[in-house]
Amino acid sequence: MVVLPILTKTTTWWKKKKKQQNTTSFGGCGEGLTVISRCFFLLMLFLSTGGDGNKSILLVEANSHGGGGGGGVGGGFGGWASSASSNVGIAIIVTAMAGIALAATVVYSRRGSLKSPWSRKRRKHALLPKQWKRFFTPDGRLSDGGANYDMNSTQEERDLVKEQKRREYGSLRKQCKQILKRSEKSLKFKETSGISSNEGSGDFSQVLDSSCLEDMASASRSPSIFGRTLTEDPDPPIWDQALQSPSLLEEDGDKSGLTCEDASAGDTESSDSDSSEEPEDMQPLLATKGSEENYLDEPAKQNSSSTDLENKSPSNTENKPKPFNAEDFAKWQRIIRLDALRTNDEWIAYSPTQSAVSEIKAHQLADSVGLKEYDHLEPCRVFHAARMVAILEAYALHDPEIGYCQGMSDLLDPIITVFEEDHQAFWCFVGFMKKARHNFRLDEVGIQRQLKIVSKIIQRKDIHLYRHLEKLQAEDCFFVYRMVIVLFRRELSFEQTLCLWEVIWADQAAIRAGTAKSTWGRIRLRAPPNEDLLLYAISACVLQKRKLIIEKYSSMDEIMRECNSMAGRLDVWKLLDDAHDLVVTLHDKI
Amino acid sequence: MSYDYLFKYIIIGDTGVGKSCLLLQFTDKRFQPVHDLTIGVEFGARMVTIDSRPIKLQIWDTAGQESFRSITRSYYRGAAGALLVYDITRRETFNHLASWLEDARQHANPNMSIMLIGNKSDLAHRRAVSKEEGEQFAKENGLLFLEASARTAQNVEEAFIKTAAKILQNIQEGVFDVSNESSGIKVGYGRPQGPSGARDGAVAQRGGCCG
């Protein structure tokens, strides 16, 4: 399990943003948002910390430029969760005081004067850079050895991991492109014999052939390194042997043919072309053309072995590895491209740098990932969509059991808004998906389990409402389906979503860090952190409508319609208060 | 508002063919070029008048990706009509029609009226499926057929209304048991039910007194 620091990017982003606050409207909460976004990463990392035996390295980095004006927007940190081809988790954390406290701080400071458990607490400020730095030794380790978080690593070690992860992502991207090229070619072949062929496919492969921009953004430059990352034997990262459990060692190790050249190579302005690199490391893929089954044997192997290992981790025990299926993948690639172009533009206000991207750059990137028919969109949206394609596609390859499912783009959207480097966004997303992926399983056990819990919470809390739902045959709570799948992303604004997610992650992180009883008990008025806080929040929002539902609604359709039209009408803080109350009264009964 | 009948519709078809846009055009008379993709199921409704009879259409718009199918399947059951949509500029969406149809036949009411819609007819220059092919497929499978454009609104109204007319015709012919809610048909409050609930006659003009 590895975690990485990244930092500088988010920090710069933040700085730039500050500068632009005069011109960009953040509804008066620019500062708060900044804090939130930062915490966001922290917790995201936290969130994916795995269970037994998994160890993490923590990384944090102080930001000497942050915290302007003493507004409490302190130390910059960002984290980069990484997990090797499957299970590795991550985590990042902060200091002895914990990200949790920080998250709570954020929450408090956002609460203003509302009466609630959140606001009654003493307001705390986020750490200042100085305070932040104090937690680290000169080589970047946590001063206490990371004892509280089971993490210990130096800055150098983290940089290595970061570099390794960047390459891993680069290699996933390469494979995606190869597959896309192949499937487009075969499609073209099929269609030329068909009636009216799809006109786009002709130039498509050409575009891909000459593509380079996107690889420059994140992939390694050296062909030999790519060859190695794909094929070489595990060579466990030396820095982490003591930390990693055996299973993780094997798994992480398989990617670490590090030669560590040019750790700063992730520059999007680079003009290297990847096409020259392809022949070498992609040979295995191309050589087996005829047989769809194993033409991707490299990733397949990778995934099955990692899934085996994964079986040791609690979240994955029930899954049999699903072999890579070229047909599925081609389908995902198609849908991803359609969906990426349908992402809404709410993010624009939150990422000045990305929203100012030039048309040329945006279109180059779009072409390089095989995005078509984007002319109706502004450059920044094209750019955003192209990044979305790159990352979602890489994820589908990384996790072929889940692949791509609609809704994931909703989850990724905030992540790429804040992370400007694709590889960082990717690994964050991987961390996020550790839990969220269950929502997207074809067998629906993940979603069913959650709907059941919502149903149970409502039943325990409000039997009248529950009986009414029963009468309407709606007690399965299917009407909250969308809230569960995309974690309120559709109901809350961009900013509110981040707030909610962070609080949810803070709970999950607290559970993993084992601070449940002590710290959290005090902070949250005896409500223990809950793994399923989201579900309590969902129940809370249904319960807020109880009167309307009982008195006015006589069918599931109407409740569904109500739930689907909550966008912009929810107050995230009220929601959290109510959810918190539910946790207090019900957590031991559900 | 009161109605003589309420018909439940379901809109199905591959992702990105324009299901939600068709619905939005029909219910709100507007076109939104960039539309959030549908997660699970969404919902729309509108009143129409057929043979001077007010009919409420309640429309379930489903997510196109296969991963949501088992969820959307539960909506087939209570539907009286289905709009099966493909995109005339993307051949694969036409190729998948058979599998959608099989799904519908398997999970829906056997009397469900199905309208096949070749959407995006405004993009004729990028056409990948000819109108004749669409007609042919519809004919072979006993479906109604229209090419439509959610962007220009061409044939959108017609698609929903023709389907409703077909359902109404089926009711008049006694094909449906409208007293059974799983038929996807509800008789409006304003409309006294005949003995079988299936005959239409003198009561037709009574549309909507007391909702």
Side-chain angles (χ1 to χ4, degrees):
Chain A
M1 168 141 337
V2 223
V3 180
L4 277 231
I6 296 193
L7 294 293
T8 40
K9 271 293 170 189
T10 25
T11 333
T12 343
W13 168 75
W14 177 73
K15 273 188 289 173
K16 284 185 190 146
K17 188 143 89 71
K18 280 211 85 176
K19 268 187 228 149
Q20 298 197 19
Q21 272 178 17
N22 294 335
T23 52
T24 317
S25 160
F26 291 97
C29 45
E31 189 107 324
L33 173 72
T34 305
V35 182
I36 281 161
S37 314
R38 292 200 171 173
C39 250
F40 175 60
F41 293 108
L42 166 67
L43 292 169
M44 173 172 309
L45 297 179
F46 227 162
L47 132 118
S48 48
T49 314
D52 45 44
N54 292 356
K55 311 249 177 150
S56 343
I57 315 180
L58 148 60
L59 341 100
V60 200
E61 187 170 308
N63 160 22
S64 50
H65 303 290
V73 186
F77 51 85
W80 185 33
S82 76
S83 66
S85 47
S86 62
N87 56 354
V88 191
I90 322 150
I92 265 213
I93 303 297
V94 187
T95 83
M97 289 322 286
I100 299 164
L102 185 52
T105 306
V106 173
V107 172
Y108 304 148
S109 61
R110 299 278 307 137
R111 294 275 2 211
S113 57
L114 286 176
K115 282 254 183 277
S116 78
W118 303 94
S119 63
R120 261 179 259 140
K121 286 279 133 192
R122 188 166 58 96
R123 270 195 197 197
K124 289 182 184 171
H125 292 296
L127 298 175
L128 293 169
K130 254 193 209 162
Q131 297 172 303
W132 182 259
K133 271 187 174 162
R134 228 176 280 149
F135 292 110
F136 297 89
T137 61
D139 66 351
R141 280 178 208 276
L142 278 173
S143 317
D144 67 352
N148 288 339
Y149 301 99
D150 215 6
M151 291 178 240
N152 192 12
S153 65
T154 65
Q155 182 61 50
E156 201 184 330
E157 291 163 356
R158 299 193 293 263
D159 285 344
L160 275 175
V161 179
K162 174 175 161 188
E163 175 58 18
Q164 178 200 345
K165 287 295 162 188
R166 191 175 63 75
R167 291 210 184 100
E168 265 179 59
Y169 173 72
S171 108
L172 283 168
R173 283 301 311 148
K174 261 180 178 295
Q175 294 171 51
C176 289
K177 290 189 163 197
Q178 290 297 323
I179 299 166
L180 181 67
K181 207 188 292 182
R182 280 179 47 85
S183 66
E184 285 294 324
K185 273 182 189 156
S186 77
L187 185 70
K188 194 173 138 200
F189 182 73
K190 270 186 219 156
E191 292 203 345
T192 43
S193 53
I195 302 182
S196 36
S197 89
N198 184 342
E199 55 152 83
S201 60
D203 31 312
F204 198 15
S205 51
Q206 278 175 12
V207 166
L208 285 168
D209 280 331
S210 62
S211 69
C212 59
L213 183 81
E214 188 233 336
D215 271 10
M216 300 173 324
S218 300
S220 160
R221 307 170 164 197
S222 156
S224 64
I225 287 191
F226 262 114
R228 292 172 69 176
T229 50
L230 278 175
T231 56
E232 278 204 2
D233 243 11
D235 180 16
I238 34 155
W239 65 85
D240 219 1
Q241 295 191 359
L243 280 176
Q244 302 205 357
S245 69
S247 65
L248 289 167
L249 261 190
E250 274 177 59
E251 180 179 20
D252 269 353
D254 65 8
K255 294 284 170 29
S256 51
L258 292 180
T259 37
C260 205
E261 46 105 56
D262 193 2
S264 62
D267 184 357
T268 31
E269 303 303 330
S270 155
S271 57
D272 278 7
S273 160
D274 78 280
S275 46
S276 58
E277 307 168 9
E278 282 173 8
E280 189 169 341
D281 61 294
M282 283 309 163
Q283 280 309 339
L285 298 188
L286 300 173
T288 49
K289 258 184 180 172
S291 127
E292 290 226 312
E293 277 252 65
N294 55 6
Y295 83 89
L296 252 187
D297 61 353
E298 214 43 66
K301 227 186 272 166
Q302 194 177 308
N303 280 305
S304 63
S305 72
S306 60
T307 318
D308 286 344
L309 295 167
E310 230 172 18
N311 286 341
K312 290 170 194 158
S313 94
S315 61
N316 288 294
T317 35
E318 70 274 29
N319 306 334
K320 274 273 165 216
K322 184 184 163 192
F324 180 88
N325 179 316
E327 220 173 277
D328 281 349
F329 192 75
K331 193 166 62 195
W332 295 330
Q333 288 187 306
R334 243 187 359 246
I335 302 177
I336 286 169
R337 280 164 182 74
L338 289 170
D339 290 353
L341 292 174
R342 293 198 271 169
T343 311
N344 74 41
D345 60 359
E346 219 188 332
W347 63 272
I348 291 178
Y350 300 95
S351 181
T353 48
Q354 290 183 72
S355 61
V357 72
S358 75
E359 181 169 338
I360 296 178
K361 195 172 167 189
H363 288 192
Q364 264 177 339
L365 184 66
D367 292 341
S368 77
V369 300
L371 203 55
K372 293 183 284 185
E373 295 169 23
Y374 50 72
D375 297 338
H376 59 294
L377 294 174
E378 308 99 292
C380 64
R381 296 182 73 177
V382 174
F383 187 74
H384 191 78
R387 294 188 65 205
M388 200 93 125
V389 168
I391 294 169
L392 288 172
E393 200 172 69
Y395 184 81
L397 198 60
H398 174 81
D399 183 3
E401 189 197 347
I402 299 297
Y404 173 71
C405 184
Q406 291 183 323
M408 286 186 192
S409 54
D410 284 66
L411 303 183
L412 176 60
D413 177 50
I415 297 176
I416 60 175
T417 300
V418 183
F419 274 122
E420 292 180 357
E421 292 282 355
D422 284 1
H423 60 114
Q424 295 171 0
F426 173 77
W427 290 111
C428 259
F429 184 61
V430 169
F432 189 3
M433 285 296 290
K434 291 224 121 159
K435 189 168 167 75
R437 69 193 288 279
H438 298 287
N439 288 348
F440 299 108
R441 288 172 51 155
L442 273 181
D443 61 14
E444 291 174 5
V445 295
I447 185 82
Q448 296 295 359
R449 180 192 77 89
Q450 299 184 81
L451 292 177
K452 248 181 220 148
I453 294 177
V454 172
S455 173
K456 227 178 201 171
I457 294 170
I458 294 174
Q459 184 183 16
R460 294 280 173 147
K461 178 70 187 173
D462 188 340
I463 191 68
H464 290 298
L465 176 59
Y466 186 79
R467 294 231 171 93
H468 184 70
L469 294 177
E470 270 185 328
K471 209 168 70 198
L472 308 181
Q473 299 183 308
E475 77 276 13
D476 57 7
C477 292
F478 178 73
F479 48 86
V480 299
Y481 181 87
R482 192 174 74 184
M483 295 175 190
V484 175
I485 291 269
V486 295
L487 290 79
F488 272 112
R489 180 69 194 86
R490 292 286 176 93
E491 286 73 27
L492 297 173
S493 69
F494 187 92
E495 193 183 341
Q496 291 202 324
T497 305
L498 294 195
C499 296
L500 179 77
W501 288 5
E502 283 168 3
V503 173
I504 289 170
W505 294 335
D507 262 24
Q508 294 166 0
I511 290 170
R512 292 188 176 90
T515 47
K517 288 271 143 67
S518 54
T519 320
W520 276 89
R522 268 177 278 126
I523 294 179
R524 309 249 331 250
L525 300 183
R526 297 178 315 282
N530 196 296
E531 191 70 42
D532 292 316
L533 186 65
L534 170 74
L535 305 178
Y536 285 86
I538 290 173
S539 309
C541 96
V542 175
L543 289 162
Q544 286 172 2
K545 305 276 175 191
R546 72 177 299 275
K547 192 159 181 275
L548 187 67
I549 293 173
I550 294 175
E551 291 175 5
K552 295 262 162 67
Y553 294 159
S554 55
S555 70
M556 205 282 246
D557 310 348
E558 290 165 296
I559 305 174
M560 168 81 103
R561 183 176 221 182
E562 176 67 35
C563 286
N564 279 354
S565 61
M566 281 179 181
R569 297 198 280 134
L570 284 172
D571 173 354
V572 70
W573 303 112
K574 170 103 176 71
L575 200 62
L576 278 169
D577 284 341
D578 290 358
H580 175 262
D581 291 345
L582 284 176
V583 173
V584 172
T585 51
L586 294 176
H587 71 272
D588 50 354
K589 302 189 183 79
I590 301 297
Chain B
M1 231 201 292
S2 59
Y3 48 81
D4 280 8
Y5 289 112
L6 179 151
F7 296 161
K8 287 192 186 176
Y9 280 18
I10 179 168
I11 311 183
I12 53 177
D14 273 14
T15 188
V17 297
K19 297 181 293 296
S20 303
C21 290
L22 284 168
L23 177 60
L24 193 68
Q25 182 59 260
F26 179 66
T27 57
D28 291 29
K29 299 202 189 324
R30 64 193 169 96
F31 177 70
Q32 206 179 341
V34 181
H35 191 283
D36 274 340
L37 57 94
T38 308
I39 306 281
V41 179
E42 280 168 26
F43 180 84
R46 204 189 111 179
M47 293 290 295
V48 295
T49 307
I50 296 171
D51 297 349
S52 64
R53 200 167 306 153
I55 288 171
K56 182 171 184 178
L57 300 184
Q58 198 177 71
I59 304 141
W60 293 101
D61 172 29
T62 66
Q65 198 184 357
E66 214 166 291
S67 13
F68 293 116
R69 274 211 204 176
S70 63
I71 303 249
T72 54
R73 267 179 200 134
S74 53
Y75 286 83
Y76 283 114
R77 227 166 308 136
L83 306 186
L84 172 55
V85 188
Y86 68 93
D87 173 355
I88 65 160
T89 70
R90 284 194 295 134
R91 183 144 198 104
E92 79 265 12
T93 65
F94 180 75
N95 295 339
H96 295 157
L97 289 179
S99 115
W100 281 109
L101 202 55
E102 191 189 316
D103 230 39
R105 299 256 193 250
Q106 201 176 339
H107 297 94
N109 183 320
N111 300 314
M112 182 166 78
S113 303
I114 303 175
M115 165 71 77
L116 179 65
I117 299 179
N119 191 29
K120 309 196 187 175
S121 63
D122 55 299
L123 300 177
H125 56 289
R126 298 212 327 245
R127 180 185 284 278
V129 183
S130 72
K131 192 170 178 185
E132 290 69 34
E133 284 176 283
E135 276 165 353
Q136 178 69 16
F137 184 90
K139 202 171 150 199
E140 282 167 11
N141 294 282
L143 317 175
L144 301 163
F145 175 71
L146 277 177
E147 279 196 351
S149 166
R151 182 187 296 269
T152 66
Q154 189 208 357
N155 275 345
V156 173
E157 192 95 359
E158 288 80 352
F160 284 86
I161 288 178
K162 277 192 175 174
T163 312
K166 172 84 178 162
I167 296 169
L168 199 59
Q169 185 194 340
N170 282 343
I171 292 174
Q172 285 161 349
E173 288 169 4
V175 174
F176 284 112
D177 172 12
V178 292
S179 60
N180 180 350
E181 274 219 17
S182 72
S183 64
I185 299 166
K186 223 156 104 181
V187 180
Y189 298 115
R191 209 191 114 75
Q193 261 177 282
S196 69
R199 270 186 315 116
D200 249 323
V203 287
Q205 64 273 36
R206 288 209 42 197
C209 50
C210 40

